[in-house]
Amino acid sequence: MKFTLNGQEVDAPSAAPDTPLLYVLRNDMQLNGPKFGCGLGECGACAVLIDGKVARSCSVPLSVVQGKKVTTLEGLSPEASQDAKAKALRNAAVLDVSADKSAMPATAARTFTLHVVQQAFVDAQAAQCGYCTNGMIMALVALFNQKPQASDDEVKHALSGHLCRCGTHVEIMQAAARARELIAQGRSAAIPAAAASKEQKAA
């Protein structure tokens, strides 16, 4: 079952066509941006973009995405995601008492450009436990990609099916407002993985 994931063509030959996309993303592709929340497509924690539109990956069969473009949270800022994964692996090794600490390479601090919505969430500190953040960000990326200056009412409508049990709704709305500011200042709201895929085809 082939599809494009974060700008790269991938295959999941061992997964049955009716396997929830979320399971393939997390278990086979080792991506932990989309979360397993309710498993019923109601909370939004597992949200991804399929051909630029928000979808609940826990209730989307793998067969639905064949030949389509899927973008996860990791696809919004690939370099930052890879760096974060490398740091997590290094931190795990540091905690491993059997690991050879002298063989671990030193890691220098690096700065990566986040997607405008990700940056807005950082600026507004719009996360508490962080479990819902994936879905909130993916919903806003889809919205601002289509309508860069979406109103507060449009933001609320886009987020209406995404649940936050910590109650950080005020900060999330502040993040949406911050995203509008950054877009007005010239930051792009485009989906990087989709843009990269178009550039590869043009080449």
Side-chain angles (χ1 to χ4, degrees), residues 115-133:
H115 185 277
V116 63
V117 175
Q118 290 176 303
Q119 187 61 59
F121 267 69
V122 172
D123 293 349
Q125 298 184 19
Q128 190 161 320
C129 80
Y131 211 81
C132 76
T133 306

Side-chain angles (χ1 to χ4, degrees), residues 128-163:
Q128 190 161 320
C129 80
Y131 211 81
C132 76
T133 306
N134 169 77
M136 300 286 185
I137 288 177
M138 300 311 287
L140 289 179
V141 167
L143 174 64
F144 288 126
N145 185 48
Q146 293 296 319
K147 194 166 186 179
Q149 291 301 316
S151 68
D152 280 350
D153 284 342
E154 288 169 320
V155 167
K156 290 175 183 177
H157 179 73
L159 297 177
S160 62
H162 295 264
L163 307 181

Side-chain angles (χ1 to χ4, degrees), residues 58-69:
C58 75
S59 56
V60 173
L62 180 61
S63 58
V64 169
V65 300
Q66 184 169 9
K68 296 186 178 180
K69 297 182 180 68

Side-chain angles (χ1 to χ4, degrees), residues 92-125:
V94 168
L95 294 174
D96 182 358
V97 294
S98 65
D100 180 5
K101 308 298 189 292
S102 63
M104 295 180 193
T107 54
R110 299 177 64 188
T111 301
F112 299 98
T113 301
L114 298 174
H115 185 277
V116 63
V117 175
Q118 290 176 303
Q119 187 61 59
F121 267 69
V122 172
D123 293 349
Q125 298 184 19

